[in-house]
Amino acid sequence: MKTLTMKLPEGLLGWLENEARRVRQPKSALVREILHQHRRRQHQSALDLSADLCGCVQSGVRDLARNPKHLSGFGQ
């Protein structure tokens, strides 16, 4: 593993130290985890981000995609 040296403003460093103490992890492990989370979020599509919401609402109509009545004017 390579080493990275960073300069942080006092406020951010204080937050990092408090958070590392709270979760009982070294600061370096916490920074690595934050970077991994950020990297994963950048590669997510809108569907990935809203996957837990898909299909959670009942419209009362069985299949909107196949009923021509519901498709009139779509895309205009």
Side-chain angles (χ1 to χ4, degrees), residues 11-29:
L12 191 54
L13 179 60
W15 175 85
L16 181 61
E17 289 170 343
N18 289 336
E19 193 66 15
R21 214 174 301 120
R22 186 182 71 79
V23 296
R24 295 186 176 122
Q25 285 187 349
K27 291 180 282 190
S28 59

Side-chain angles (χ1 to χ4, degrees), residues 24-41:
R24 295 186 176 122
Q25 285 187 349
K27 291 180 282 190
S28 59
L30 186 57
V31 170
R32 265 193 303 277
E33 179 59 30
I34 291 168
L35 290 172
H36 282 294
Q37 288 175 5
H38 181 72
R39 184 176 171 196
R40 276 193 300 263
R41 261 187 253 128

Side-chain angles (χ1 to χ4, degrees), residues 28-62:
S28 59
L30 186 57
V31 170
R32 265 193 303 277
E33 179 59 30
I34 291 168
L35 290 172
H36 282 294
Q37 288 175 5
H38 181 72
R39 184 176 171 196
R40 276 193 300 263
R41 261 187 253 128
Q42 285 186 327
H43 296 290
Q44 290 180 329
S45 67
L47 177 59
D48 294 334
L49 294 171
S50 63
D52 60 327
L53 301 174
C54 291
C56 71
V57 177
Q58 293 291 331
S59 70
V61 179
R62 286 182 37 159

